[in-house]
Amino acid sequence: MANIKSAKKRVEIAKVRNERNKAIKSAVKTAIKKVEAAVAANDKEAASAALVEATSKISKAATKGVYHKNNAARKVARLAKAVSTMA
């Protein structure tokens, strides 16, 4: 454990940010699973609604720096493609 006051503070800040990032990633993964479940169930309306929510969460995560913007764009594009190609 750190002895210097500033080092102790950095450890605490890192812990808080780690928890925040973990919560955001978990929310994004849950939103993605909801879209994929709706696509698997062939429910276009539910998939579209879930896509809007998932896109919002992914974009917010990218803005916060949890995901790289290209990673976020790729996730959104894959979900949108899955929803748009539903029969």
Side-chain angles (χ1 to χ4, degrees), residues 2-64:
N3 289 327
I4 299 168
K5 186 176 180 183
S6 61
K8 288 180 183 177
K9 184 175 180 181
R10 297 310 308 170
V11 168
E12 287 301 314
I13 290 171
K15 192 189 319 179
V16 169
R17 288 184 177 174
N18 189 336
E19 291 297 319
R20 187 198 75 184
N21 291 347
K22 202 182 298 184
I24 292 171
K25 280 186 179 183
S26 176
V28 167
K29 287 178 187 177
T30 303
I32 289 172
K33 285 178 189 171
K34 284 182 182 176
V35 175
E36 290 171 347
V39 168
N42 214 15
D43 188 352
K44 181 109 176 165
E45 195 173 298
S48 297
L51 177 64
V52 171
E53 185 183 337
T55 302
S56 173
K57 287 190 185 302
I58 293 168
S59 299
K60 196 170 285 187
T63 303
K64 299 284 186 187

Side-chain angles (χ1 to χ4, degrees), residues 66-81:
V66 178
Y67 287 114
H68 189 276
K69 65 176 186 167
N70 291 355
N71 187 353
R74 186 179 67 241
K75 287 179 186 298
V76 170
R78 286 179 179 172
L79 291 175
K81 183 179 179 185

